[in-house]
Amino acid sequence: MPMILNEDQTILRDTAREFCSEKAPISQLRKLRDDNSVDGFDPETWKSMVELGWAAIPFPESVGGLNFGYKGLGVVTEETGRTLTASPLFATVWVGGTAVSMGGTETQKSELLGGVVTGETLLALALEESHKHDPYGVAATATRNSEGFLLSGKKTFVLDGHVANQLLVAARTSGNPGERAGISLFVVDAASEGLNVTRTIMVDSRNAANIEFDNVHVGADSVIGEIDNGAEVLDPTLDIARIGLAAEMLGSAQECFERTVQYLKDRVQFGVPIGSFQALKHRAANMFCEVELSKSVVLEALTALDEGRDAKEIAILASLAKAKIGEMFHTVSREGIQMHGGIGMTDEFDIGFFIKRAAVAEQTFGDMYFHRNRYGELNGY
């Protein structure tokens, strides 16, 4: 498969760019923040995104999906990154939907993915239990009883946790925290008795929550995948999610870079545009090179997903993408602030929203240090 966009994917990208710039500009995120939005996203905008088919892009036609591939979803996600669109697209489609698609039964796929495609179901993955990404550090427990399982424990940094109506929970059915074996995945209704959700306000104005489980009952049919082998579903799900997040971060970084270059052209000092200063030219050129390299990394990772390459290669590309784009976005967002000068630190300019998003996105599902180490281990170092 060529590592370029085909005609249909290009049309989808252009449509997404027009939609996001008109219906979900950065001013929308600013308003959601200033109004202390209960949902953290605009339901009408999400409804429009669903009507455009974005929630159905990667899923099979048997559940109402479009089966258009992850490259198609990637170009849409990249455009949402440009305008920092707050929506359930990542948590519900890239993360939750992928997990169900990977390990769910036919009934689970029909019910959950069918709901995702129509916009009726919002999903959230309850995985993390500490301030650092540790996919196997699961201490929350699932104890078997005659009617199913009882879930107990705490989860943190659950993306869209307070708006999701179905939670995908990683709990330990055997073994000890840190071990890959012994983790199981469960579907839990967000209205279940014994479940307490606390929304957290993040610096990037996006959704996350802390969730406590106090003997929350789930049936035996709530298991996704196999008991004790949840990592077999979790690992590929996280890799696909990391690639999706890298696509979003790429879009954000491109917009941040383009806004910075425009400011260098517009801002006049000593009678000339500051972009004519050699030092700033060099810094802008470095950012340009980093952005262009990152485009290739993300496109290769998305292409690998659509080609169905083996799990190890996808894992390597996922860590490469997350590390590279995380590092690049970190650099571009901070350079953007510095090149805007003092006004860049104020809330008057939108450029500050990018550095805040970079800080959160970089930590989500593993920062550059986590993925550099993982990349080395996957390659035998």
Side-chain angles (χ1 to χ4, degrees):
M1 183 182 296
M3 203 179 71
I4 57 174
L5 300 181
N6 61 32
E7 183 179 359
D8 290 339
Q9 291 161 349
T10 301
I11 293 173
L12 180 59
R13 180 199 62 192
D14 294 342
T15 301
R17 181 170 301 180
E18 180 180 1
F19 175 88
C20 291
S21 63
E22 293 182 1
K23 304 296 185 181
I26 295 178
S27 58
Q28 184 186 78
L29 178 65
R30 183 186 290 274
K31 188 176 188 304
L32 290 168
R33 180 201 66 181
D34 294 346
D35 292 347
N36 293 317
S37 168
V38 174
D39 294 321
F41 68 97
D42 180 58
E44 288 302 314
T45 301
W46 174 240
K47 181 181 178 181
S48 296
M49 294 165 72
V50 170
E51 290 173 349
L52 286 171
W54 292 1
I57 289 175
F59 303 126
E61 295 177 1
S62 59
V63 296
L66 298 178
N67 197 28
F68 196 63
Y70 281 102
K71 195 184 289 186
L73 183 60
V75 297
V76 166
T77 304
E78 185 178 326
E79 296 307 318
T80 66
R82 280 184 173 270
T83 60
L84 302 176
T85 304
S87 81
L89 185 67
F90 181 69
T92 292
V93 180
W94 278 103
V95 186
T98 296
V100 175
S101 182
M102 286 279 179
T105 63
E106 292 305 312
T107 299
Q108 289 170 336
K109 291 177 183 178
S110 177
E111 294 178 355
L112 295 176
L113 294 184
V116 168
V117 166
T118 61
E120 297 173 1
T121 300
L122 299 182
L123 302 175
L125 175 64
L127 171 64
E128 310 287 10
E129 298 185 15
S130 71
H131 66 286
K132 293 184 66 177
H133 180 55
D134 185 7
Y136 305 144
V138 176
T141 60
T143 305
R144 191 188 293 270
N145 63 16
S146 59
E147 299 178 348
F149 297 86
L150 293 177
L151 305 184
S152 296
K154 297 180 180 181
K155 297 292 181 177
T156 188
F157 195 41
V158 181
L159 302 179
D160 280 1
H162 84 288
V163 294
N165 43 43
Q166 296 292 329
L167 303 173
L168 307 181
V169 183
R172 189 160 290 282
T173 43
S174 67
N176 301 304
E179 296 177 356
R180 185 175 185 273
I183 297 172
S184 302
L185 293 178
F186 300 87
V187 180
V188 182
D189 191 302
S192 299
E193 185 177 352
L195 194 153
N196 182 49
V197 179
T198 303
R199 183 185 182 183
T200 59
I201 305 300
M202 298 200 296
V203 68
D204 66 345
S205 305
R206 304 290 277 272
N207 282 341
N210 295 328
I211 302 180
E212 296 182 13
F213 300 86
D214 183 11
N215 287 324
V216 176
H217 174 262
V218 293
D221 59 350
S222 68
V223 179
I224 294 181
E226 299 178 357
I227 291 295
D228 290 340
N229 289 319
E232 296 298 323
V233 176
L234 188 61
D235 284 347
T237 295
L238 289 175
D239 282 329
I240 291 173
R242 288 158 180 155
I243 293 170
L245 185 56
E248 183 202 314
M249 294 166 72
L250 174 61
S252 299
Q254 289 181 88
E255 181 69 19
C256 185
F257 171 68
E258 291 168 10
R259 285 172 178 248
T260 301
V261 169
Q262 188 61 51
Y263 186 77
L264 295 180
K265 295 177 180 178
D266 295 341
R267 177 74 166 94
V268 174
Q269 195 172 42
F270 306 116
V272 296
I274 61 175
S276 64
F277 301 158
Q278 188 176 44
L280 296 184
K281 284 183 178 180
H282 288 170
R283 291 166 68 178
N286 178 64
M287 286 195 289
F288 173 78
C289 292
E290 290 300 307
V291 169
E292 290 302 307
L293 285 171
S294 297
K295 289 180 182 178
S296 299
V297 171
V298 171
L299 193 53
E300 172 67 5
L302 291 169
T303 300
L305 292 179
D306 285 348
E307 289 181 343
R309 299 183 198 172
D310 67 78
K312 182 177 180 180
E313 183 175 356
I314 289 174
I316 289 172
L317 288 171
S319 281
L320 173 62
K322 190 61 170 59
K324 179 60 183 175
I325 281 65
E327 180 181 37
M328 180 272 294
F329 192 16
H330 179 100
T331 298
V332 169
S333 61
R334 281 152 182 77
E335 286 282 69
I337 291 287
Q338 291 188 26
M339 290 186 183
H340 275 77
I343 199 169
M345 294 297 294
T346 71
D347 197 51
E348 181 179 345
F349 270 40
D350 288 340
I351 200 72
F353 283 89
F354 291 94
I355 195 171
K356 293 172 183 177
R357 179 57 184 154
V360 175
E362 185 182 345
Q363 297 298 321
T364 304
F365 295 153
D367 60 14
M368 69 179 81
Y369 303 108
F370 176 94
H371 285 291
R372 283 174 179 171
N373 182 71
R374 182 173 184 253
Y375 181 87
E377 291 178 344
L378 288 168
N379 281 285
Y381 294 102

